[in-house]
Amino acid sequence: MNKENLQLFVFFLIINFGALGIGSWLMNNGPMTSWYIDLAKAPWTPPGWVFGAAWTTIMICFSFFMTALYTKIKSIKVKILFAIQVALNVSWNYIFFNQHLILLALITIILLTFIVFYFLFGFRTQTKSKRLLVLPYALWLCIATSLNYYIYVYN
């Protein structure tokens, strides 16, 4: 990785992990609150530590992908899609854990999932095999969406 790509990678790491930090701050101890603890949750809900490990892996992989994508395409479209992805990712935490708006959170995570799948499939010719770096994010969002949907249906 050359110096310019390394700087770009660090930039995406800072933005992605910054978004996770802001999202965590906005959820106001959400997973520890009685509201969340008392919800009927899906039987496939992973233990809490899995979320941290998953998001760490996802954001490292996604930062590598964004570096590769942005190196190939420096378009306003890529910037807007990335910004929307960040905004949706951050806002879901606030909507779900802080405001307890389960349906709006479900809509938010579905939109986020569509954006991430667009990154996975919409730039396949430009990113080739590097697009597989988006796969952990896409798969995790499918799981997270199913968890949100379960909570919506059963609570």
Side-chain angles (χ1 to χ4, degrees):
M1 186 179 286
N2 64 34
K3 184 179 178 182
E4 182 182 323
N5 286 358
L6 181 59
Q7 290 172 336
L8 196 54
F9 175 65
V10 169
F11 169 78
F12 283 116
L13 280 175
I14 290 168
I15 298 297
N16 287 326
F17 279 99
L20 289 181
I22 292 167
S24 179
W25 176 69
L26 288 174
M27 68 180 169
N28 198 24
N29 293 327
M32 305 302 177
T33 62
S34 59
W35 173 80
Y36 180 74
I37 292 168
D38 294 339
L39 288 173
K41 290 181 263 326
W44 59 91
T45 302
W49 68 266
V50 173
F51 290 86
W55 279 113
T56 299
T57 303
I58 287 163
M59 287 306 157
I60 291 169
C61 289
F62 194 59
S63 295
F64 273 117
F65 169 78
M66 286 306 302
T67 300
L69 178 61
Y70 196 75
T71 302
K72 297 270 185 186
I73 307 170
K74 292 181 174 121
S75 72
I76 191 72
K77 177 181 176 180
V78 171
K79 291 176 185 177
I80 289 171
L81 286 171
F82 180 72
I84 292 170
Q85 174 272 146
V86 169
L88 290 170
N89 199 333
V90 168
S91 65
W92 182 89
N93 291 287
Y94 179 75
I95 294 165
F96 184 85
F97 283 113
N98 193 303
Q99 298 300 300
H100 308 161
L101 300 171
I102 299 169
L103 178 58
L104 183 57
L106 180 60
I107 293 166
T108 302
I109 202 165
I110 289 169
L111 292 172
L112 176 58
T113 303
F114 280 125
I115 295 285
V116 170
F117 270 88
Y118 188 82
F119 277 116
L120 181 61
F121 294 110
F123 299 105
R124 66 183 169 275
T125 57
Q126 297 89 343
T127 58
K128 299 188 182 0
S129 64
K130 287 189 173 69
R131 73 190 180 103
L132 295 177
L133 291 165
V134 181
L135 202 52
Y137 199 175
L139 293 174
W140 183 256
L141 284 175
C142 289
I143 294 166
T145 302
S146 75
L147 297 173
N148 193 152
Y149 179 73
Y150 188 96
I151 289 171
Y152 172 69
V153 170
Y154 291 99
N155 289 279

